[in-house]
Amino acid sequence: MFAEVLTVGDELLTGNTVDSNSAFIAKRLTERGHWVRRKTTVGDDVEEIKAVVREILARKPEVLVISGGLGPTHDDVTMLAVAEALGRKLVLCEPCLERIRQFYRELYAKGLIDDPELNEARKKMAYLPEGAEPLENTEGAAPGAYIEHNGVKIFVLPGMPREMKAMLEREVLPRLGSRKFVQRKLLAEITDESKLAPILNETLERFNVRIHSSPKGFGRYIGIILFGENEEEIEKAKAFMESKGIRFEEGW
Amino acid sequence: MFAEVLTVGDELLTGNTVDSNSAFIAKRLTERGHWVRRKTTVGDDVEEIKAVVREILARKPEVLVISGGLGPTHDDVTMLAVAEALGRKLVLCEPCLERIRQFYRELYAKGLIDDPELNEARKKMAYLPEGAEPLENTEGAAPGAYIEHNGVKIFVLPGMPREMKAMLEREVLPRLGSRKFVQRKLLAEITDESKLAPILNETLERFNVRIHSSPKGFGRYIGIILFGENEEEIEKAKAFMESKGIRFEEGW
């Protein structure tokens, strides 16, 4: 049971934008008990997006969250590419179109744009892959999409962080059930890193936890993150490691 | 001719760390005339890293930059995974071992660690895939590796940003030749996004440039980035678009 994240945008591939979206999505998925196994980023290119979506589906994740490329400009092609990858048509979502019309009217009323009318570019955002459930965008024009496809829950979200975050919280997470992971950050004092590995491995065998580690302070400390389904399991795993001689400080 | 970037680290998949490394690498590669076509992130897992390295090599990029997982802890497995993906053995790099020994002696002399001696975990960092050229790490213990494999230039760098950046500048970029791209950011005033697309497409056909665009200010502006081999080509492309009625402001 694992998840994948796909972010789409040329600006991510030229380094003009740091991809904080995928970290945010990964963090929230992890908290909800979904391990992210891989993150991928491709540009605003139908063939590239199509290819990577097919590759991801072949790995059969439980959840795939895609972010970016839903806007009105000519290089916003994610919905089209996802539809093609799934062998579905793009079809007009009438309530989405009405919502988009309303959105631009409100922007016009506030003096933020010069033209309130729907044009081809704005209309384009109302087309979703056939069978998709529209996801409401409370912060912008473009709706997202939720598609169940061969057992994979696919969510297509906007790339603007404010829009993506709101949609993730309101529309995605409630569809992922109630599983949760808690995590605890610990700092382990250690002088020989090679002594830690067997203890970590034994802990993994005995308890229902996952452990990530990374060196801190030139190897004097190892930063540990313990993930588990509840605090009790984490506490037991920590006590076991302490019984093996590891000294911990909380947090880092 | 394109490049790919692979970042490795569990902390990137749990969202505990935002992957700014891949953005930095992508920016510098783009500036040096190497388009990044895809970025991938996987965890500290030999099989995962091996699988993704093989997938990337099958796409035949000119350059592959890998970052993360070179340290002394048990979950630093990138060199092993890269070696296995390439069907090469890990072999001891004697000068690397000497450099690592020296590095820990200096940390010990500064009082930063309690034990100056090489242990298995520290020694591990001196093993590189057979035939690799070691890349000097001026900021940390673990050397990087440069491997030419079936026409792909593979660079394996540490994940600590300070170490990765120094190695990229000193060891990677000088091996990538003298090609360069310049970029110019422009803000295009536009009320109907759909009118912009044909002009951009005509510009792409006539001039040796690449164009990225993204909406700014609710579609009143479109942010444009023009990439080209020199300022003259960019200037010509900009003048052409202006002749078609687009008004630009510099920068955004």
Side-chain angles (χ1 to χ4, degrees):
Chain A
M1 298 250 288
F2 66 95
E4 295 210 24
V5 178
L6 170 61
T7 48
V8 178
D10 288 334
E11 69 283 8
L12 303 169
L13 296 182
T14 57
N16 277 291
T17 301
V18 172
D19 180 17
S20 59
N21 277 2
S22 71
F24 185 89
I25 294 165
K27 194 173 195 345
R28 300 294 282 128
L29 288 177
T30 303
E31 287 165 2
R32 295 301 286 255
H34 293 269
W35 293 112
V36 176
R37 203 170 89 181
R38 194 188 285 209
K39 298 195 307 180
T40 313
T41 304
V42 293
D44 299 295
D45 181 286
V46 176
E47 293 308 317
E48 278 291 297
I49 301 168
K50 218 164 105 175
V52 74
V53 168
R54 287 184 173 161
E55 290 165 31
I56 292 171
L57 293 178
R59 289 191 289 268
K60 302 202 172 298
E62 192 188 0
V63 175
L64 165 59
V65 179
I66 302 171
S67 167
L70 304 193
T73 50
H74 70 289
D75 52 6
D76 288 308
V77 294
T78 300
M79 280 296 180
L80 172 64
V82 169
E84 289 191 5
L86 305 180
R88 301 186 186 210
K89 279 183 287 189
L90 275 184
V91 293
L92 180 66
C93 161
E94 290 284 0
C96 301
L97 189 66
E98 195 41 52
R99 170 76 186 65
I100 292 166
R101 190 194 312 272
Q102 196 55 37
F103 180 82
Y104 282 103
R105 280 190 188 148
E106 284 167 21
L107 289 184
Y108 181 75
K110 289 177 189 163
L112 291 168
I113 54 172
D114 302 321
D115 180 358
E117 293 311 313
L118 287 182
N119 51 42
E120 284 312 308
R122 290 171 183 175
K123 270 184 211 162
K124 185 188 73 168
M125 295 186 281
Y127 285 83
L128 305 183
E130 194 161 24
E133 201 176 315
L135 303 178
E136 192 186 355
N137 187 341
T138 56
E139 310 295 317
Y146 170 52
I147 309 153
E148 282 215 44
H149 189 85
N150 294 344
V152 186
K153 294 184 171 75
I154 305 172
F155 297 92
V156 191
L157 312 183
M160 289 280 284
R162 204 164 48 105
E163 301 179 21
M164 179 280 291
K165 287 177 184 178
M167 198 179 284
L168 188 76
E169 303 290 352
R170 292 171 48 105
E171 299 275 16
V172 178
L173 298 181
R175 285 177 170 84
L176 294 184
S178 58
R179 206 163 69 215
K180 269 186 192 164
F181 282 136
V182 287
Q183 59 172 310
R184 177 97 60 94
K185 289 183 175 182
L186 300 167
L187 212 50
E189 279 185 64
I190 195 105
T191 50
D192 182 350
E193 299 86 345
S194 49
K195 289 179 189 152
L196 186 63
I199 301 174
L200 294 183
N201 287 334
E202 204 181 335
T203 310
L204 288 171
E205 276 165 30
R206 283 174 178 247
F207 303 93
N208 190 17
V209 294
R210 283 179 79 128
I211 304 175
H212 293 172
S213 63
S214 52
K216 305 276 165 195
F218 295 112
R220 174 172 277 183
Y221 297 103
I222 305 285
I224 299 273
I225 309 181
L226 276 169
F227 296 89
E229 287 183 17
N230 53 61
E231 290 289 351
E232 294 68 34
E233 195 70 8
I234 286 179
E235 200 51 58
K236 279 192 277 177
K238 183 190 167 196
F240 174 76
M241 288 189 277
E242 284 170 332
S243 78
K244 296 282 174 181
I246 299 182
R247 289 205 299 151
F248 287 118
E249 294 171 27
E250 288 283 333
W252 42 273
Chain B
M1 298 250 286
F2 65 96
E4 295 210 22
V5 178
L6 170 61
T7 49
V8 178
D10 288 336
E11 71 282 7
L12 302 169
L13 295 182
T14 57
N16 277 290
T17 302
V18 172
D19 180 16
S20 59
N21 278 1
S22 72
F24 185 89
I25 294 166
K27 195 173 197 335
R28 300 293 282 129
L29 287 177
T30 304
E31 287 165 2
R32 296 301 286 254
H34 294 268
W35 293 111
V36 176
R37 203 170 89 179
R38 193 188 285 209
K39 298 194 308 179
T40 313
T41 304
V42 292
D44 299 294
D45 181 286
V46 176
E47 294 308 316
E48 277 293 296
I49 301 168
K50 218 163 104 175
V52 74
V53 168
R54 285 185 173 159
E55 290 166 30
I56 293 171
L57 293 179
R59 290 191 290 268
K60 301 201 172 301
E62 192 188 0
V63 175
L64 165 59
V65 179
I66 303 171
S67 168
L70 305 193
T73 50
H74 70 287
D75 53 5
D76 289 308
V77 295
T78 301
M79 280 295 179
L80 172 64
V82 169
E84 288 189 5
L86 305 180
R88 301 187 186 208
K89 282 183 286 192
L90 274 185
V91 293
L92 180 66
C93 161
E94 290 284 358
C96 300
L97 189 66
E98 196 41 53
R99 171 77 185 62
I100 291 166
R101 190 194 311 273
Q102 195 55 37
F103 181 81
Y104 282 103
R105 282 191 186 147
E106 284 168 21
L107 288 183
Y108 180 74
K110 288 178 189 161
L112 292 169
I113 55 173
D114 303 321
D115 181 356
E117 293 311 312
L118 288 182
N119 52 42
E120 284 311 308
R122 291 172 183 175
K123 270 184 209 159
K124 186 189 74 168
M125 294 187 281
Y127 285 81
L128 305 183
E130 195 162 23
E133 199 176 316
L135 302 179
E136 193 186 354
N137 187 342
T138 56
E139 310 294 317
Y146 170 52
I147 308 153
E148 281 216 43
H149 190 87
N150 294 345
V152 185
K153 293 183 172 77
I154 305 172
F155 298 91
V156 191
L157 311 183
M160 290 279 284
R162 205 164 46 105
E163 301 179 21
M164 178 281 290
K165 286 178 185 178
M167 198 178 286
L168 188 75
E169 302 290 351
R170 292 170 48 103
E171 299 275 16
V172 178
L173 298 181
R175 284 176 170 85
L176 294 184
S178 58
R179 205 163 69 215
K180 272 185 189 164
F181 282 136
V182 287
Q183 57 172 313
R184 177 98 61 96
K185 290 184 174 181
L186 299 167
L187 212 51
E189 279 186 64
I190 195 106
T191 49
D192 182 352
E193 300 86 345
S194 51
K195 287 178 189 152
L196 186 63
I199 300 174
L200 294 184
N201 286 335
E202 203 180 337
T203 309
L204 288 170
E205 276 166 30
R206 285 175 177 246
F207 303 93
N208 189 18
V209 294
R210 283 180 78 131
I211 303 174
H212 294 173
S213 63
S214 52
K216 305 276 164 193
F218 295 112
R220 175 173 276 182
Y221 296 101
I222 305 286
I224 299 273
I225 309 181
L226 276 170
F227 297 88
E229 289 183 16
N230 53 61
E231 290 289 352
E232 294 69 34
E233 196 70 7
I234 286 179
E235 199 51 56
K236 278 193 277 178
K238 183 190 166 197
F240 174 75
M241 289 189 279
E242 285 172 329
S243 78
K244 295 283 173 180
I246 298 181
R247 286 205 299 153
F248 287 118
E249 293 172 28
E250 288 284 332
W252 41 274

